[in-house]
Amino acid sequence: MTSRMFKDRTAGFWIGIAAAAIAIIGAIVYIAVDVSDRTFSIPGFILMLLGGLSFAIVLLTDYRFAPAVPAVLGILGFAFTVCAAIPSLSDVWNHVVFIGGNAAAGVAFSIVFLVSAILSVISCFMDQRKTVQD
């Protein structure tokens, strides 16, 4: 079973694996570091974690739509994370502490989740398994 999951995989699959790993590790670090701050987004965390874990659909099946699931969840998780970070960024831009929060952490995790989302989208448009040419 395990050998079949990784047999004849393409670069698109490995890019998706990288995106899933970035999403899972990023989400775990996100909740460990930023959970008590205003820049933390519970929906963003959940969607990124689900996006990374949903790559198991690609791993276990050969459905053509499977790579789109982690891509959609990753994009939504990134969007929620950016929305949570914007008020703190406005404080930095305006030199006024009104909202508070760790703007640097909000930007850092937004960038991590953006990289994961972009890699998921790239993987989504690539073949996941090599086809045998006769």
Side-chain angles (χ1 to χ4, degrees):
M1 178 72 173
T2 304
S3 63
R4 185 191 178 308
M5 285 191 283
F6 296 105
K7 186 178 179 185
D8 297 327
R9 293 299 187 164
T10 64
F13 174 81
W14 296 109
I15 290 170
I17 285 277
I22 291 169
I24 292 169
I25 293 168
I28 291 169
V29 173
Y30 185 45
I31 197 166
V33 172
D34 206 33
V35 71
S36 63
D37 194 43
R38 290 184 183 268
T39 58
F40 183 77
S41 166
I42 292 172
F45 164 73
I46 291 170
L47 288 167
M48 289 310 296
L49 193 60
L50 288 176
L53 294 175
S54 69
F55 196 77
I57 297 169
V58 177
L59 192 62
L60 299 173
T61 68
D62 284 328
Y63 295 131
R64 186 71 183 144
F65 71 87
V69 175
V72 169
L73 292 172
I75 291 167
L76 290 172
F78 163 70
F80 276 105
T81 306
V82 168
C83 286
I86 285 179
S88 294
L89 283 175
S90 71
D91 287 353
V92 173
W93 289 327
N94 296 322
H95 303 289
V96 176
V97 180
F98 181 69
I99 301 292
N102 189 349
V107 170
F109 287 110
S110 294
I111 291 170
V112 168
F113 294 157
L114 175 64
V115 168
S116 175
I118 289 172
L119 290 175
S120 289
V121 170
I122 291 169
S123 172
C124 185
F125 290 101
M126 297 176 75
D127 287 333
Q128 301 297 310
R129 193 176 291 276
K130 294 177 186 172
T131 55
V132 178
Q133 303 278 334
D134 290 323

